[in-house]
Amino acid sequence: MKITMLTNQKGPRISKYIYGQFAEHLGRGIYGGLWVGEDSSIPNKNGIRTDVVNALKAINVPVVRWPGGCFADEYHWKDGVGEASKRKTIVNTNWGGVTETNRFGTHEYFELCSQLACDTYINGNVGSGTVQEMQEWVEYMTMPGESPMASWRRKNGREDPWQVTFLGIGNENWGCGGNMRPEYYADLYRRYQTFVRKYGEQRISKIACGANSGNYQWTRVLMERAAHFMDGISLHYYTVPSGEWHDKGNATGFTEDEWKTTIKRAKRMDELISRHAKIMDQYDPEKKVGMIVDEWGSWYNVEKGTNPGFLFQQNTIRDAMVAAVTLTIFHQHADRVRMANIAQMVNVLQAMLLTEGDQMVKTPTYYVFDLYKAHQDGELIGTYSDPSSDTISYTASKKGETLTLSICNYDLSRTEKIALTQVGNAYHPLQGEYIAAETRDAHNTFDHPNVVIKKKFTGYKMQENTVTVIAPPMSVITLTFGK
Ligand code: AHR
Protein backbone atom coordinates (compact mmCIF):
# COMPACT_ATOMS: atom_id res chain seq x y z
CA MET A 1 0.00 0.00 0.00
CA LYS A 2 0.98 3.62 -0.38
CA ILE A 3 0.77 6.25 2.35
CA THR A 4 1.13 9.91 1.49
CA MET A 5 2.02 12.49 4.10
CA LEU A 6 1.00 16.08 3.37
CA THR A 7 3.82 17.49 5.39
CA ASN A 8 2.80 21.13 5.02
CA GLN A 9 -0.85 20.61 5.81
CA LYS A 10 -1.54 22.18 9.17
CA GLY A 11 -3.88 20.16 11.36
CA PRO A 12 -5.08 20.57 14.94
CA ARG A 13 -2.74 20.22 17.89
CA ILE A 14 -2.83 16.75 19.44
CA SER A 15 -3.26 17.61 23.09
CA LYS A 16 -0.77 15.83 25.32
CA TYR A 17 -3.72 15.09 27.60
CA ILE A 18 -4.93 12.50 25.08
CA TYR A 19 -2.18 10.38 26.64
CA GLY A 20 -3.74 10.77 30.10
CA GLN A 21 -4.03 8.04 32.71
CA PHE A 22 -6.62 7.02 35.26
CA ALA A 23 -6.00 5.65 38.77
CA GLU A 24 -9.00 4.57 40.81
CA HIS A 25 -9.31 3.09 44.28
CA LEU A 26 -10.02 -0.25 42.70
CA GLY A 27 -8.29 -3.56 43.30
CA ARG A 28 -4.52 -3.06 43.37
CA GLY A 29 -4.59 0.10 41.28
CA ILE A 30 -3.60 2.34 44.15
CA TYR A 31 -2.65 0.08 47.06
CA GLY A 32 0.22 -2.16 46.01
CA GLY A 33 0.36 -0.65 42.52
CA LEU A 34 1.28 2.91 43.40
CA TRP A 35 1.22 3.21 47.15
CA VAL A 36 3.26 0.90 49.35
CA GLY A 37 3.81 3.21 52.33
CA GLU A 38 6.97 4.82 53.65
CA ASP A 39 7.89 1.79 55.77
CA SER A 40 7.70 -0.72 52.92
CA SER A 41 10.75 -2.74 51.91
CA ILE A 42 9.76 -1.93 48.31
CA PRO A 43 11.82 1.11 47.31
CA ASN A 44 9.61 4.17 47.55
CA LYS A 45 9.63 7.91 47.91
CA ASN A 46 7.14 9.19 50.45
CA GLY A 47 5.24 5.90 50.18
CA ILE A 48 4.99 5.81 46.37
CA ARG A 49 6.87 3.04 44.60
CA THR A 50 9.94 4.23 42.77
CA ASP A 51 9.95 1.56 40.03
CA VAL A 52 6.41 2.51 38.99
CA VAL A 53 7.10 6.25 39.03
CA ASN A 54 10.27 5.81 36.98
CA ALA A 55 8.50 3.67 34.38
CA LEU A 56 5.62 6.13 34.10
CA LYS A 57 7.90 9.14 33.86
CA ALA A 58 9.55 7.53 30.86
CA ILE A 59 6.27 7.67 28.91
CA ASN A 60 5.60 11.31 29.83
CA VAL A 61 2.32 10.80 31.67
CA PRO A 62 0.64 14.21 31.22
CA VAL A 63 -2.24 13.88 33.70
CA VAL A 64 -3.72 11.33 36.13
CA ARG A 65 -7.44 11.18 36.84
CA TRP A 66 -8.29 10.25 40.46
CA PRO A 67 -9.99 8.91 42.70
CA GLY A 68 -12.54 7.24 40.36
CA GLY A 69 -14.55 6.04 38.45
CA CYS A 70 -17.47 4.75 40.41
CA PHE A 71 -15.40 5.18 43.57
CA ALA A 72 -15.47 8.96 43.07
CA ASP A 73 -19.19 9.21 43.79
CA GLU A 74 -18.75 7.42 47.10
CA TYR A 75 -15.57 9.17 48.08
CA HIS A 76 -15.63 11.68 50.90
CA TRP A 77 -12.34 13.52 50.70
CA LYS A 78 -12.25 14.58 54.34
CA ASP A 79 -11.83 10.91 55.28
CA GLY A 80 -8.51 10.92 53.44
CA VAL A 81 -6.64 13.88 54.96
CA GLY A 82 -4.96 14.46 58.32
CA GLU A 83 -3.11 12.10 60.62
CA ALA A 84 -2.94 8.78 58.74
CA SER A 85 -3.61 6.53 61.72
CA LYS A 86 -6.79 8.42 62.52
CA ARG A 87 -8.30 8.23 59.04
CA LYS A 88 -11.68 6.62 58.70
CA THR A 89 -11.79 3.09 57.35
CA ILE A 90 -14.62 2.56 54.89
CA VAL A 91 -15.95 -0.20 52.63
CA ASN A 92 -15.24 0.04 48.93
CA THR A 93 -18.72 -1.10 47.93
CA ASN A 94 -18.15 -0.77 44.19
CA TRP A 95 -15.00 -2.80 44.02
CA GLY A 96 -14.95 -6.07 45.91
CA GLY A 97 -16.39 -4.80 49.20
CA VAL A 98 -12.87 -4.50 50.56
CA THR A 99 -11.63 -2.18 53.29
CA GLU A 100 -10.48 1.23 52.13
CA THR A 101 -8.11 2.71 54.68
CA ASN A 102 -8.02 6.17 53.16
CA ARG A 103 -4.26 6.01 53.55
CA PHE A 104 -3.92 7.37 50.02
CA GLY A 105 -5.78 10.69 49.97
CA THR A 106 -5.51 14.19 48.58
CA HIS A 107 -1.97 14.89 49.82
CA GLU A 108 -0.71 11.56 48.52
CA TYR A 109 -2.35 12.09 45.13
CA PHE A 110 -0.63 15.44 44.68
CA GLU A 111 2.64 13.87 45.81
CA LEU A 112 2.21 11.25 43.07
CA CYS A 113 1.56 13.93 40.45
CA SER A 114 4.51 15.93 41.65
CA GLN A 115 6.78 12.88 41.34
CA LEU A 116 5.40 12.26 37.84
CA ALA A 117 5.65 15.98 37.02
CA CYS A 118 2.15 15.77 35.57
CA ASP A 119 -1.07 17.75 35.74
CA THR A 120 -4.03 16.87 37.90
CA TYR A 121 -7.58 15.72 37.30
CA ILE A 122 -9.71 15.32 40.41
CA ASN A 123 -13.11 13.68 40.04
CA GLY A 124 -15.61 15.12 42.52
CA ASN A 125 -18.55 13.41 44.17
CA VAL A 126 -22.04 14.33 42.98
CA GLY A 127 -23.78 10.98 43.51
CA SER A 128 -23.47 10.83 47.30
CA GLY A 129 -21.67 14.06 48.14
CA THR A 130 -22.92 17.54 48.83
CA VAL A 131 -22.29 20.82 47.08
CA GLN A 132 -20.60 22.06 50.24
CA GLU A 133 -18.29 19.04 50.30
CA MET A 134 -17.12 19.66 46.75
CA GLN A 135 -16.81 23.38 47.35
CA GLU A 136 -14.68 22.79 50.43
CA TRP A 137 -12.46 20.29 48.62
CA VAL A 138 -11.70 22.89 45.98
CA GLU A 139 -11.04 25.47 48.69
CA TYR A 140 -8.77 23.00 50.52
CA MET A 141 -6.75 22.28 47.41
CA THR A 142 -6.52 25.68 45.78
CA MET A 143 -7.00 28.53 48.27
CA PRO A 144 -3.77 30.53 48.60
CA GLY A 145 -4.99 32.93 51.34
CA GLU A 146 -6.66 32.52 54.70
CA SER A 147 -9.77 30.37 54.93
CA PRO A 148 -10.98 27.49 57.07
CA MET A 149 -10.02 24.86 54.49
CA ALA A 150 -6.68 26.49 53.63
CA SER A 151 -5.81 26.54 57.35
CA TRP A 152 -6.72 22.89 57.65
CA ARG A 153 -4.50 22.07 54.65
CA ARG A 154 -1.62 23.93 56.30
CA LYS A 155 -2.22 22.13 59.57
CA ASN A 156 -2.00 18.89 57.58
CA GLY A 157 1.41 19.85 56.29
CA ARG A 158 0.88 21.66 53.00
CA GLU A 159 1.52 25.39 52.93
CA ASP A 160 0.95 26.27 49.28
CA PRO A 161 -2.17 25.47 47.32
CA TRP A 162 -1.90 22.80 44.67
CA GLN A 163 -2.82 23.24 41.05
CA VAL A 164 -6.03 21.49 40.07
CA THR A 165 -6.01 21.39 36.28
CA PHE A 166 -9.29 19.53 35.72
CA LEU A 167 -12.23 18.84 37.98
CA GLY A 168 -14.84 16.23 37.06
CA ILE A 169 -18.32 16.98 38.42
CA GLY A 170 -19.43 13.43 39.12
CA ASN A 171 -18.75 10.19 37.25
CA GLU A 172 -21.16 8.00 35.29
CA ASN A 173 -24.10 9.72 36.94
CA TRP A 174 -26.31 7.78 34.52
CA GLY A 175 -25.17 4.61 36.33
CA CYS A 176 -23.00 4.00 39.39
CA GLY A 177 -22.94 7.75 40.07
CA GLY A 178 -26.64 7.96 40.91
CA ASN A 179 -28.72 6.44 38.08
CA MET A 180 -29.84 9.91 37.05
CA ARG A 181 -31.74 11.12 34.03
CA PRO A 182 -29.75 13.56 31.86
CA GLU A 183 -32.24 16.37 32.64
CA TYR A 184 -31.74 15.90 36.37
CA TYR A 185 -27.98 15.60 36.13
CA ALA A 186 -27.78 18.69 33.87
CA ASP A 187 -29.40 20.73 36.64
CA LEU A 188 -27.16 19.21 39.29
CA TYR A 189 -24.14 19.88 37.10
CA ARG A 190 -25.09 23.56 36.80
CA ARG A 191 -25.52 23.80 40.54
CA TYR A 192 -22.37 21.95 41.65
CA GLN A 193 -20.10 23.70 39.20
CA THR A 194 -21.30 27.10 40.43
CA PHE A 195 -19.55 26.50 43.73
CA VAL A 196 -16.28 25.40 42.19
CA ARG A 197 -14.84 28.80 43.06
CA LYS A 198 -11.79 30.42 41.60
CA TYR A 199 -9.29 31.05 44.37
CA GLY A 200 -6.28 33.16 43.51
CA GLU A 201 -5.15 32.92 39.92
CA GLN A 202 -6.09 29.30 39.34
CA ARG A 203 -8.45 28.42 36.57
CA ILE A 204 -9.89 24.94 36.91
CA SER A 205 -11.32 23.28 33.80
CA LYS A 206 -14.70 21.81 34.69
CA ILE A 207 -15.72 18.49 33.15
CA ALA A 208 -19.35 17.38 33.04
CA CYS A 209 -20.23 13.72 33.21
CA GLY A 210 -20.95 12.64 29.66
CA ALA A 211 -22.42 9.67 27.91
CA ASN A 212 -21.99 5.97 28.10
CA SER A 213 -20.86 4.91 24.62
CA GLY A 214 -23.80 5.43 22.21
CA ASN A 215 -26.17 7.34 24.50
CA TYR A 216 -26.46 10.39 22.25
CA GLN A 217 -29.49 11.70 24.08
CA TRP A 218 -27.34 12.26 27.17
CA THR A 219 -24.92 14.44 25.21
CA ARG A 220 -27.78 16.33 23.55
CA VAL A 221 -29.47 17.20 26.85
CA LEU A 222 -26.25 18.16 28.58
CA MET A 223 -25.08 20.34 25.71
CA GLU A 224 -28.46 22.01 25.36
CA ARG A 225 -28.84 22.76 29.04
CA ALA A 226 -25.36 23.21 30.42
CA ALA A 227 -22.75 23.71 27.67
CA HIS A 228 -22.12 27.31 28.78
CA PHE A 229 -20.99 26.09 32.16
CA MET A 230 -18.49 23.46 31.10
CA ASP A 231 -15.00 23.17 29.64
CA GLY A 232 -15.42 19.55 28.78
CA ILE A 233 -17.88 16.69 28.67
CA SER A 234 -16.80 13.12 29.09
CA LEU A 235 -17.41 9.96 27.07
CA HIS A 236 -16.84 6.42 28.32
CA TYR A 237 -16.37 3.51 26.00
CA TYR A 238 -14.74 0.15 26.66
CA THR A 239 -13.69 -2.51 24.17
CA VAL A 240 -15.39 -5.71 25.31
CA PRO A 241 -14.59 -8.49 22.79
CA SER A 242 -17.86 -10.44 23.12
CA GLY A 243 -20.00 -7.35 23.69
CA GLU A 244 -21.48 -9.14 26.73
CA TRP A 245 -20.66 -7.93 30.22
CA HIS A 246 -21.35 -11.29 31.88
CA ASP A 247 -18.72 -13.07 29.77
CA LYS A 248 -16.52 -10.54 28.07
CA GLY A 249 -13.87 -12.87 26.67
CA ASN A 250 -10.45 -13.71 28.07
CA ALA A 251 -7.34 -11.58 28.02
CA THR A 252 -5.20 -14.49 26.78
CA GLY A 253 -5.93 -17.76 24.97
CA PHE A 254 -8.45 -16.15 22.62
CA THR A 255 -9.26 -17.12 19.03
CA GLU A 256 -8.48 -15.36 15.76
CA ASP A 257 -12.10 -14.33 15.57
CA GLU A 258 -11.90 -12.74 18.99
CA TRP A 259 -8.82 -10.83 17.87
CA LYS A 260 -10.76 -9.47 14.90
CA THR A 261 -13.87 -8.55 16.86
CA THR A 262 -11.76 -6.85 19.50
CA ILE A 263 -10.13 -4.59 16.93
CA LYS A 264 -13.49 -3.97 15.28
CA ARG A 265 -14.99 -2.95 18.60
CA ALA A 266 -12.01 -0.72 19.40
CA LYS A 267 -12.53 1.01 16.04
CA ARG A 268 -16.10 1.85 17.07
CA MET A 269 -14.53 4.73 19.02
CA ASP A 270 -14.35 6.62 15.73
CA GLU A 271 -18.09 6.42 15.13
CA LEU A 272 -18.87 7.32 18.74
CA ILE A 273 -16.66 10.39 18.71
CA SER A 274 -17.99 11.51 15.33
CA ARG A 275 -21.62 11.23 16.37
CA HIS A 276 -21.20 12.83 19.79
CA ALA A 277 -19.08 15.57 18.19
CA LYS A 278 -21.81 16.28 15.66
CA ILE A 279 -24.25 16.91 18.49
CA MET A 280 -21.71 19.05 20.31
CA ASP A 281 -21.19 21.08 17.11
CA GLN A 282 -24.87 22.03 17.11
CA TYR A 283 -24.59 23.68 20.52
CA ASP A 284 -20.95 24.65 20.45
CA PRO A 285 -19.86 25.33 16.86
CA GLU A 286 -16.74 27.10 18.07
CA LYS A 287 -15.60 23.93 19.79
CA LYS A 288 -15.07 25.57 23.15
CA VAL A 289 -16.14 22.44 25.00
CA GLY A 290 -13.69 19.56 24.84
CA MET A 291 -14.65 15.95 24.48
CA ILE A 292 -12.95 14.11 27.31
CA VAL A 293 -12.76 10.36 26.78
CA ASP A 294 -11.81 9.78 30.38
CA GLU A 295 -12.39 6.04 30.38
CA TRP A 296 -11.42 3.77 27.50
CA GLY A 297 -9.57 0.54 26.84
CA SER A 298 -10.08 -3.20 26.75
CA TRP A 299 -12.14 -4.96 29.39
CA TYR A 300 -11.90 -8.77 29.70
CA ASN A 301 -12.89 -11.44 32.18
CA VAL A 302 -10.67 -11.17 35.25
CA GLU A 303 -7.72 -13.54 35.56
CA LYS A 304 -8.64 -16.87 37.15
CA GLY A 305 -8.30 -16.92 40.92
CA THR A 306 -8.38 -13.13 41.31
CA ASN A 307 -11.06 -11.09 43.04
CA PRO A 308 -13.75 -10.32 40.41
CA GLY A 309 -14.07 -6.84 41.90
CA PHE A 310 -10.40 -6.08 41.24
CA LEU A 311 -10.63 -6.10 37.42
CA PHE A 312 -7.16 -7.55 37.04
CA GLN A 313 -6.38 -8.74 33.50
CA GLN A 314 -3.33 -9.69 31.44
CA ASN A 315 -2.25 -7.43 28.64
CA THR A 316 -1.11 -8.80 25.28
CA ILE A 317 -0.02 -7.61 21.86
CA ARG A 318 -3.76 -7.45 21.08
CA ASP A 319 -4.05 -4.69 23.69
CA ALA A 320 -1.18 -2.90 22.03
CA MET A 321 -3.26 -2.91 18.82
CA VAL A 322 -6.30 -1.58 20.70
CA ALA A 323 -4.18 1.22 22.13
CA ALA A 324 -2.55 2.16 18.83
CA VAL A 325 -5.81 2.10 16.88
CA THR A 326 -7.60 4.16 19.54
CA LEU A 327 -4.86 6.76 19.97
CA THR A 328 -4.87 7.22 16.20
CA ILE A 329 -8.63 7.82 16.29
CA PHE A 330 -8.11 10.42 19.01
CA HIS A 331 -5.52 12.13 16.82
CA GLN A 332 -7.99 12.25 13.94
CA HIS A 333 -10.48 14.00 16.22
CA ALA A 334 -7.95 16.22 17.94
CA ASP A 335 -10.04 19.30 17.13
CA ARG A 336 -12.64 18.08 19.65
CA VAL A 337 -10.98 15.43 21.80
CA ARG A 338 -8.90 17.35 24.34
CA MET A 339 -8.19 14.63 26.86
CA ALA A 340 -8.45 10.86 27.17
CA ASN A 341 -7.60 8.65 30.12
CA ILE A 342 -6.97 4.98 29.54
CA ALA A 343 -8.43 2.70 32.21
CA GLN A 344 -6.33 2.19 34.21
CA MET A 345 -2.69 2.98 34.95
CA VAL A 346 -1.52 0.06 37.12
CA ASN A 347 -2.97 -3.43 37.78
CA VAL A 348 -6.51 -2.61 36.60
CA LEU A 349 -8.05 -3.29 33.14
CA GLN A 350 -5.78 -2.21 30.26
CA ALA A 351 -2.87 -1.24 32.45
CA MET A 352 0.54 0.20 31.63
CA LEU A 353 2.17 -1.75 34.43
CA LEU A 354 1.47 -4.87 36.46
CA THR A 355 2.94 -5.39 39.90
CA GLU A 356 3.11 -8.22 42.38
CA GLY A 357 4.94 -7.54 45.65
CA ASP A 358 8.21 -5.92 44.70
CA GLN A 359 8.01 -7.05 41.06
CA MET A 360 6.85 -4.88 38.20
CA VAL A 361 6.39 -5.59 34.50
CA LYS A 362 5.70 -3.27 31.57
CA THR A 363 2.82 -4.33 29.34
CA PRO A 364 2.61 -4.14 25.53
CA THR A 365 0.22 -1.20 26.02
CA TYR A 366 2.94 0.60 27.95
CA TYR A 367 5.20 0.34 24.93
CA VAL A 368 2.58 1.85 22.64
CA PHE A 369 2.34 4.86 24.94
CA ASP A 370 6.11 4.99 24.79
CA LEU A 371 6.20 4.74 20.98
CA TYR A 372 3.48 7.39 20.59
CA LYS A 373 4.66 9.89 23.19
CA ALA A 374 6.40 12.00 20.54
CA HIS A 375 2.93 12.93 19.24
CA GLN A 376 2.04 14.71 22.48
CA ASP A 377 1.29 18.35 21.64
CA GLY A 378 2.38 17.77 18.06
CA GLU A 379 0.53 19.19 15.10
CA LEU A 380 -1.44 16.56 13.21
CA ILE A 381 -0.44 16.38 9.59
CA GLY A 382 -2.64 15.24 6.72
CA THR A 383 -2.22 11.67 5.49
CA TYR A 384 -4.02 9.36 3.14
CA SER A 385 -3.49 5.87 1.81
CA ASP A 386 -4.04 4.06 -1.43
CA PRO A 387 -5.68 1.62 -1.35
CA SER A 388 -7.29 2.24 2.01
CA SER A 389 -6.57 -0.60 4.37
CA ASP A 390 -8.56 -2.25 7.09
CA THR A 391 -5.54 -3.74 8.82
CA ILE A 392 -3.24 -0.74 8.98
CA SER A 393 -3.74 2.30 11.15
CA TYR A 394 -1.32 5.21 10.91
CA THR A 395 -0.90 8.75 12.16
CA ALA A 396 1.66 11.50 11.69
CA SER A 397 2.46 14.70 13.51
CA LYS A 398 5.04 17.46 13.48
CA LYS A 399 6.81 19.25 16.27
CA GLY A 400 9.41 21.83 15.31
CA GLU A 401 11.78 20.20 12.83
CA THR A 402 10.73 16.67 13.74
CA LEU A 403 8.04 14.62 12.09
CA THR A 404 6.77 11.44 13.72
CA LEU A 405 4.90 8.69 11.90
CA SER A 406 3.35 5.75 13.74
CA ILE A 407 2.00 2.69 12.01
CA CYS A 408 0.09 -0.24 13.46
CA ASN A 409 -0.28 -3.44 11.43
CA TYR A 410 -3.01 -5.38 13.16
CA ASP A 411 -3.16 -8.17 10.65
CA LEU A 412 -2.44 -11.51 12.30
CA SER A 413 -0.17 -12.89 9.60
CA ARG A 414 0.45 -10.49 6.72
CA THR A 415 3.57 -8.39 6.42
CA GLU A 416 2.66 -5.08 4.83
CA LYS A 417 5.00 -3.32 2.45
CA ILE A 418 4.28 0.39 2.62
CA ALA A 419 5.52 2.97 0.15
CA LEU A 420 5.65 6.27 1.92
CA THR A 421 5.66 9.45 -0.09
CA GLN A 422 5.58 13.08 0.94
CA VAL A 423 3.88 16.12 -0.49
CA GLY A 424 5.33 19.37 0.83
CA ASN A 425 8.61 19.79 2.70
CA ALA A 426 10.59 16.57 2.50
CA TYR A 427 11.72 14.85 5.67
CA HIS A 428 14.27 12.06 6.01
CA PRO A 429 13.86 9.07 8.29
CA LEU A 430 16.30 9.24 11.19
CA GLN A 431 15.36 6.30 13.33
CA GLY A 432 12.69 3.74 14.06
CA GLU A 433 11.41 1.78 17.04
CA TYR A 434 8.76 -0.91 17.25
CA ILE A 435 7.08 -3.73 19.08
CA ALA A 436 5.92 -6.97 17.47
CA ALA A 437 5.00 -10.47 18.52
CA GLU A 438 5.08 -14.03 17.30
CA THR A 439 1.78 -15.09 18.82
CA ARG A 440 -1.51 -13.24 19.10
CA ASP A 441 -1.61 -13.35 22.89
CA ALA A 442 2.09 -12.65 23.47
CA HIS A 443 2.51 -10.89 26.80
CA ASN A 444 5.04 -10.11 29.47
CA THR A 445 5.11 -11.82 32.85
CA PHE A 446 7.30 -11.37 35.90
CA ASP A 447 9.24 -14.46 34.84
CA HIS A 448 9.42 -13.44 31.17
CA PRO A 449 9.24 -9.64 31.12
CA ASN A 450 10.81 -9.18 27.68
CA VAL A 451 8.48 -11.11 25.36
CA VAL A 452 7.03 -7.88 23.94
CA ILE A 453 9.40 -4.96 24.32
CA LYS A 454 10.40 -1.94 22.33
CA LYS A 455 13.20 -2.58 19.87
CA LYS A 456 15.12 -0.67 17.23
CA PHE A 457 13.30 -0.82 13.89
CA THR A 458 15.43 -1.25 10.79
CA GLY A 459 12.77 -2.31 8.29
CA TYR A 460 12.76 0.92 6.30
CA LYS A 461 14.76 2.32 3.40
CA MET A 462 14.77 5.66 1.61
CA GLN A 463 15.17 5.62 -2.17
CA GLU A 464 14.66 8.78 -4.16
CA ASN A 465 11.67 10.38 -2.47
CA THR A 466 10.01 7.20 -1.27
CA VAL A 467 10.52 5.49 2.05
CA THR A 468 9.69 1.80 1.98
CA VAL A 469 8.52 0.41 5.31
CA ILE A 470 8.12 -3.30 5.95
CA ALA A 471 5.56 -3.59 8.75
CA PRO A 472 5.48 -7.07 10.31
CA PRO A 473 2.14 -8.55 11.35
CA MET A 474 0.97 -7.61 14.86
CA SER A 475 3.34 -4.68 15.11
CA VAL A 476 3.42 -1.03 16.12
CA ILE A 477 6.17 1.13 14.63
CA THR A 478 7.25 4.71 15.15
CA LEU A 479 9.55 6.39 12.65
CA THR A 480 11.17 9.72 13.40
CA PHE A 481 11.97 12.04 10.52
CA GLY A 482 14.06 15.19 10.33
CA LYS A 483 14.77 17.72 7.61
O1 AHR B 1 -12.78 1.70 35.13
C1 AHR B 1 -13.62 0.87 35.85
C2 AHR B 1 -15.01 1.44 36.01
O2 AHR B 1 -15.65 1.52 34.78
C3 AHR B 1 -15.11 2.85 36.55
O3 AHR B 1 -15.06 2.91 37.92
C4 AHR B 1 -16.46 3.28 36.06
O4 AHR B 1 -16.54 4.67 35.90
C5 AHR B 1 -16.65 2.50 34.80
O5 AHR B 1 -17.89 1.89 34.74
Side-chain angles (χ1 to χ4, degrees):
M1 74 183 284
K2 191 172 147 189
I3 295 179
T4 303
M5 300 197 289
L6 308 169
T7 60
N8 292 351
Q9 195 189 75
K10 205 174 147 57
R13 191 176 61 88
I14 299 164
S15 169
K16 66 177 178 183
Y17 296 125
I18 282 175
Y19 289 80
Q21 298 285 336
F22 173 30
E24 179 168 12
H25 288 241
L26 191 177
R28 296 184 300 112
I30 301 282
Y31 300 109
L34 290 163
W35 177 262
V36 286
E38 294 94 336
D39 300 332
S40 172
S41 58
I42 299 172
N44 69 86
K45 184 175 167 202
N46 299 326
I48 299 169
R49 27 191 324 164
T50 309
D51 53 354
V52 166
V53 166
N54 287 343
L56 293 172
K57 274 173 85 168
I59 54 169
N60 295 350
V61 169
V63 65
V64 179
R65 176 178 182 236
W66 173 83
C70 295
F71 183 79
D73 280 289
E74 265 198 321
Y75 183 60
H76 301 285
W77 69 272
K78 290 181 184 175
D79 297 346
V81 298
E83 169 58 40
S85 61
K86 299 204 179 101
R87 293 188 194 171
K88 198 195 264 181
T89 290
I90 59 161
V91 180
N92 190 334
T93 55
N94 281 292
W95 305 118
V98 295
T99 299
E100 163 60 57
T101 61
N102 278 304
R103 183 61 191 85
F104 190 94
T106 304
H107 290 249
E108 291 75 20
Y109 166 71
F110 281 101
E111 171 64 18
L112 168 71
C113 293
S114 140
Q115 289 188 27
L116 292 174
C118 74
D119 289 336
T120 58
Y121 179 6
I122 296 274
N123 211 115
N125 179 345
V126 170
S128 72
T130 63
V131 175
Q132 182 181 357
E133 190 179 357
M134 192 183 290
Q135 179 181 22
E136 288 182 338
W137 198 7
V138 172
E139 181 188 321
Y140 186 91
M141 294 185 286
T142 62
M143 174 66 177
E146 283 305 315
S147 81
M149 291 302 118
S151 307
W152 194 24
R153 183 189 70 229
R154 290 191 184 103
K155 195 166 153 251
N156 289 336
R158 172 76 188 192
E159 176 60 34
D160 294 332
W162 293 288
Q163 183 78 41
V164 177
T165 324
F166 302 97
L167 186 85
I169 315 285
N171 168 74
E172 296 196 350
N173 301 94
W174 38 261
C176 65
N179 287 305
M180 300 173 194
R181 294 173 305 114
E183 294 80 7
Y184 179 67
Y185 171 73
D187 282 346
L188 279 190
Y189 174 80
R190 291 168 63 118
R191 177 169 170 231
Y192 274 69
Q193 68 79 35
T194 305
F195 299 94
V196 176
R197 301 294 190 199
K198 187 171 183 291
Y199 297 103
E201 293 309 304
Q202 276 205 45
R203 191 183 176 284
I204 301 175
S205 290
K206 299 176 208 172
I207 315 289
C209 162
N212 180 22
S213 50
N215 184 350
Y216 301 109
Q217 176 63 3
W218 184 279
T219 301
R220 193 168 294 112
V221 173
L222 262 291
M223 290 302 292
E224 184 181 78
R225 299 183 180 210
H228 296 323
F229 299 101
M230 59 175 84
D231 298 290
I233 181 166
S234 66
L235 168 66
H236 287 184
Y237 174 64
Y238 284 97
T239 297
V240 176
S242 72
E244 302 287 347
W245 287 95
H246 69 276
D247 183 10
K248 300 178 260 305
N250 293 337
T252 56
F254 48 83
T255 63
E256 274 194 36
D257 270 359
E258 285 178 280
W259 168 284
K260 287 178 188 156
T261 17
T262 305
I263 309 285
K264 193 169 150 212
R265 289 187 190 281
K267 284 161 87 177
R268 185 170 172 229
M269 184 65 90
D270 185 41
E271 178 201 319
L272 291 170
I273 294 175
S274 302
R275 292 185 63 181
H276 283 288
K278 204 164 166 205
I279 296 166
M280 292 175 75
D281 286 348
Q282 284 168 26
Y283 300 95
D284 173 37
E286 290 170 12
K287 300 189 195 297
K288 289 185 182 154
V289 179
M291 191 185 298
I292 310 294
V293 190
D294 57 16
E295 288 188 29
W296 68 274
S298 55
W299 193 327
Y300 309 122
N301 296 331
V302 298
E303 293 301 319
K304 283 206 175 62
T306 64
N307 186 329
F310 281 16
L311 309 186
F312 178 72
Q313 64 190 38
Q314 245 309 344
N315 193 297
T316 69
I317 190 76
R318 176 177 62 164
D319 295 276
M321 307 288 117
V322 168
V325 164
T326 309
L327 290 168
T328 297
I329 293 170
F330 293 153
H331 287 193
Q332 284 155 359
H333 293 279
D335 60 334
R336 188 58 97 168
V337 177
R338 310 269 163 77
M339 175 159 60
N341 308 75
I342 188 169
Q344 300 192 3
M345 195 157 71
V346 189
N347 290 336
V348 177
L349 297 176
Q350 191 177 348
M352 304 298 113
L353 304 169
L354 304 178
T355 70
E356 187 66 67
D358 63 354
Q359 303 182 91
M360 182 199 79
V361 70
K362 295 171 180 168
T363 65
T365 300
Y366 173 91
Y367 289 109
V368 174
F369 275 70
D370 194 10
L371 288 167
Y372 280 47
K373 70 185 175 197
H375 295 293
Q376 291 188 17
D377 280 338
E379 192 177 84
L380 187 72
I381 64 164
T383 47
Y384 64 87
S385 70
D386 183 23
S388 65
S389 160
D390 61 358
T391 51
I392 299 283
S393 128
Y394 56 91
T395 183
S397 68
K398 229 170 29 175
K399 229 192 269 178
E401 297 288 285
T402 306
L403 188 151
T404 305
L405 169 71
S406 296
I407 299 171
C408 171
N409 179 0
Y410 49 90
D411 197 277
L412 280 159
S413 54
R414 200 180 68 233
T415 298
E416 187 75 39
K417 187 173 173 193
I418 300 167
L420 195 65
T421 55
Q422 304 177 43
V423 175
N425 287 345
Y427 290 76
H428 301 272
L430 301 175
Q431 60 154 24
E433 293 179 311
Y434 81 126
I435 58 169
E438 299 290 315
T439 55
R440 60 178 174 265
D441 69 348
H443 58 277
N444 298 329
T445 62
F446 301 115
D447 290 338
H448 301 284
N450 298 329
V451 176
V452 183
I453 53 166
K454 189 176 75 169
K455 293 183 179 151
K456 189 176 158 71
F457 181 69
T458 52
Y460 65 93
K461 201 161 64 190
M462 179 135 185
Q463 267 172 333
E464 312 262 307
N465 289 328
T466 302
V467 182
T468 307
V469 182
I470 306 294
M474 301 189 280
S475 70
V476 183
I477 304 163
T478 286
L479 286 172
T480 309
F481 295 72
K483 278 204 175 148

